[in-house]
Amino acid sequence: MGVPGPFPGSAGRPDAPVLDREEADRVLARLGAEYEAIESSLLALQDHAGRRLLEGAELSGVTKERWGETERSLTVLWSLFDAYTEVLTAAREVRARRRWPSAEDLAELSEVLHGGVVPVPAGAGDGGGDGGPGPGVPAARAEWGGAGRLGLEELVGRLTGLYARSLDVIVAADAVWSALPARIDLLAEELRRTRSLAHSVGVRPGEHPAGDDLERITDELARLRAQVIADPLAFWVSSGAGSAAPGGGRPDTVRYDRAARALEDIRREVAAVLDVRQDAERRLMLLRDVLSRADRTLTEARQARGEVLAKIAASEVPAVSGPSTVLHEQLVAAAEYRRRAQWHRLSPLLDSLEDRAEDELQRARESLTAVTAPLAVRAELRGRLDAYRARVTRHGLSADPLLVERYDLARRMLWSAPCDLRAAEQAVWRYQEAAAEAIVPEARDGRGEP
C-alpha cells in the first residue's frame, strides 16, 4: 500500500526506500515496544539503590573516576531518550493523520523511521564509546550548529551501549557495598569480643604476640572498610569471560579473608589460654606429683648405689645426679603466674614443664635401673645356683664331693659382701657344668631324669 521508489534522503545520506503502510505499522510497533523497555530500564536505573549510594558518597580512586564518566553517560542517556521520545511521538502523529496514509505521509514517515532525522543535542555524543558519534556525524554536527542527527535504529544502539556500561558500574559498586562492609562489620564485632576475652587472660599488646596481632587486625579492618566505602570498584574482580551480565565479576575478598583467618588463629590461641586458666590448678598438682616421684626415685637410686657399692665388688656403678633445680624453679614460677592470673605466660610454661617433668621421671627411673643392675645380676645368679642344687638333689647326687665343693664355693661368693660378680658367675657356671656331667650318666642308666 505504499508508494514505490525512493525518496530524497537527508544531506549526506543516500536515498531510502519508502515503507508501505503495513511495514510502517510493524516498525512503529517494534520501536514502541523498544521505547517502553528502554524507558522502564532507565527509570529502574534512576531508582537503583547503587546509583543513589554513588551519588551521595565521597568517592576516591577508580570509583570516583568511573562514576564521573557514568554521570556524564547518564546525562547523555536522558538527552538521547528525550530526543527519541520527540521523534517517536512525531512519527506516531504522522501515522495518526489518516487510517490510510497518503504517499506523502508514508514518505515522511519513512524518513522519520529510517532517515537520520533524530536531532541529537550538542554534546550528547560525548559519552565515549557507544555514546560517541559514528561515522559521518561530525559533518552533520557542523551542519546543525554542534548537534547531530541519527536514525532511530542507531539511536537505540547508542542508548543500549550507554545503559549497559552505566549499569555495569552501578551494579559492581552496589555488589561490593552489599558484600564487604557488612562482613567487615561482623568480623569487627567478633574482633571486639575476642579482644575483650584476650585482655581478660592477659593477652594484651606489648605483653603477648597475639595482643599485637589483634591491634594490627583492628587497624587493617578499619582501613579496609574506609577504602571499600570510598572506592568500591577497587575491590571488584571482573569475570574476564566477556559475560554480558551486568557487573560480571565478584567482590575481591582477599584482604578480608586474610584478616578473618588471622583472627581465627588468635581466637584459638585465646581459647587455649582460657583452658589453661580453667585447668591450671589440676595441671600444677600433676606436675608437682610427677616431679615428686622423680625426686623419690632419684633418692632411691642414690641409696641403692650406696648398697651396691657396699655389696658388689669389681663393678662399675653409675653416679646418680640430684633433682633438677631448674624444673623446681620453673614450677615455682608457674605457681606465681597462676596467683597473679598471668595466664598467657602460664600456658606455654605449663606445656614445657609437662614434657620436661615426664622426661625427668623417666631419667630417674633409668638411673635406678642402671644402679641396681648388679644386684639384679647377683639375684639371677643365686636363683640359677639354687635351681641346679634342687635338680642335683632330685637325682640323689647332693652328697657328691665335687658338686658339694663347687656349690659351697659359689654360695660363699654370692652370699658374701662385697661380692665379686665376675668370679661368682664363673663359680656358678662351673657348678652347672659339674652337675650336668653328673646327671647325664644317671639318666643313661635309667636311674634318674635326664
Side-chain angles (χ1 to χ4, degrees):
M1 296 297 295
V3 179
F7 68 91
S10 61
R13 288 181 178 270
D15 292 342
V18 177
L19 301 174
D20 61 23
R21 181 178 64 84
E22 294 179 353
E23 290 173 336
D25 288 343
R26 283 197 297 270
V27 171
L28 276 174
R30 177 173 55 80
L31 290 176
E34 290 179 350
Y35 175 87
E36 292 178 0
I38 292 173
E39 183 181 36
S40 298
S41 297
L42 288 178
L43 291 175
L45 187 64
Q46 192 72 12
D47 291 335
H48 197 289
R51 186 198 65 80
R52 293 197 297 271
L53 288 172
L54 283 165
E55 280 187 342
E58 295 183 5
L59 303 175
S60 64
V62 64
T63 306
K64 182 177 181 179
E65 179 183 350
R66 292 191 63 186
W67 175 238
E69 297 171 355
T70 301
E71 284 188 308
R72 291 190 291 272
S73 296
L74 290 173
T75 301
V76 171
L77 265 173
W78 283 107
S79 298
L80 294 179
F81 182 72
D82 290 342
Y84 184 16
T85 302
E86 293 176 5
V87 175
L88 184 59
T89 300
R92 285 171 172 170
E93 290 176 352
V94 172
R95 178 63 186 89
R97 290 173 187 169
R98 300 175 183 84
R99 181 179 180 183
W100 302 101
S102 65
E104 291 77 11
D105 292 338
L106 290 172
E108 183 180 355
L109 189 57
S110 298
E111 172 63 13
V112 171
L113 295 177
H114 287 310
V117 295
V118 180
V120 181
D126 293 337
D130 291 338
V137 173
R141 277 196 183 155
E143 181 182 350
W144 289 86
R149 286 180 174 269
L150 302 173
L152 287 177
E153 300 285 351
E154 186 177 3
L155 183 62
V156 170
R158 298 272 178 101
L159 286 167
T160 303
L162 283 170
Y163 170 81
R165 286 199 304 279
S166 301
L167 182 63
D168 190 71
V169 170
I170 292 171
V171 168
D174 186 54
V176 173
W177 277 336
S178 298
L180 276 175
R183 296 172 69 182
I184 292 171
D185 290 343
L186 288 174
L187 189 62
E189 182 60 31
E190 176 65 23
L191 175 63
R192 281 190 288 272
R193 289 194 296 269
T194 302
R195 185 167 53 188
S196 175
L197 192 60
H199 285 189
S200 72
V201 295
V203 179
R204 298 182 178 90
E207 298 181 12
H208 193 281
D212 297 331
D213 291 340
L214 281 172
E215 290 301 305
R216 283 194 292 270
I217 297 173
T218 301
D219 295 340
E220 167 65 5
L221 288 182
R223 287 194 304 270
L224 179 61
R225 193 182 194 285
Q227 292 169 5
V228 166
I229 295 299
D231 192 7
L233 294 183
F235 295 87
W236 183 253
V237 180
S238 177
S239 62
S243 172
R250 58 175 178 80
D252 182 1
T253 61
V254 171
R255 287 173 60 184
Y256 167 85
D257 294 337
R258 184 165 55 243
R261 287 193 298 269
L263 180 58
E264 178 61 22
D265 291 341
I266 295 173
R267 194 184 64 78
R268 284 197 294 267
E269 186 169 349
V270 171
V273 175
L274 278 172
D275 291 340
V276 171
R277 182 175 70 176
Q278 295 169 358
D279 207 26
E281 182 58 29
R282 183 188 64 84
R283 293 175 68 182
L284 282 171
M285 289 179 62
L286 289 176
L287 275 171
R288 293 189 187 99
D289 179 65
V290 171
L291 288 179
S292 177
R293 282 188 286 154
D295 292 347
R296 290 197 302 271
T297 303
L298 288 174
T299 299
E300 184 181 351
R302 285 193 296 273
Q303 293 173 350
R305 186 173 188 272
E307 180 183 353
V308 169
L309 291 175
K311 295 181 177 181
I312 307 297
S315 177
E316 295 182 1
V317 183
V320 180
S321 63
S324 173
T325 56
V326 174
L327 289 181
H328 284 278
E329 290 172 357
Q330 290 181 344
L331 185 60
V332 172
E336 183 66 13
Y337 288 155
R338 180 185 177 278
R339 188 182 67 82
R340 295 182 179 181
Q342 294 179 323
W343 310 111
H344 64 292
R345 295 182 177 177
L346 179 59
S347 176
L349 181 56
L350 283 180
D351 291 340
S352 173
L353 274 174
E354 285 169 345
D355 292 338
R356 296 174 63 188
E358 289 294 336
D359 292 341
E360 177 69 5
L361 179 58
Q362 181 63 28
R363 181 181 70 85
R365 288 170 175 169
E366 290 173 353
S367 294
L368 178 59
T369 300
V371 164
T372 57
L375 294 178
V377 172
R378 187 185 67 172
E380 190 273 333
L381 290 175
R382 285 177 174 180
R384 195 193 312 170
L385 180 65
D386 289 342
Y388 269 90
R389 172 69 173 173
R391 188 177 179 186
V392 166
T393 300
R394 286 198 304 271
H395 284 275
L397 299 174
S398 58
D400 186 291
L402 179 61
L403 293 178
V404 171
E405 178 187 355
R406 292 190 177 183
Y407 174 78
D408 290 341
L409 177 61
R411 193 176 189 286
R412 282 196 304 274
M413 289 184 176
L414 288 172
W415 268 268
S416 62
C419 172
D420 187 338
L421 283 180
R422 294 186 181 87
E425 184 177 13
Q426 290 295 323
V428 171
W429 182 82
R430 286 195 296 270
Y431 176 71
Q432 290 179 217
E433 185 179 38
E437 291 177 354
I439 290 171
V440 169
E442 290 289 324
R444 289 177 181 173
D445 295 339
R447 292 179 295 182
E449 298 177 359

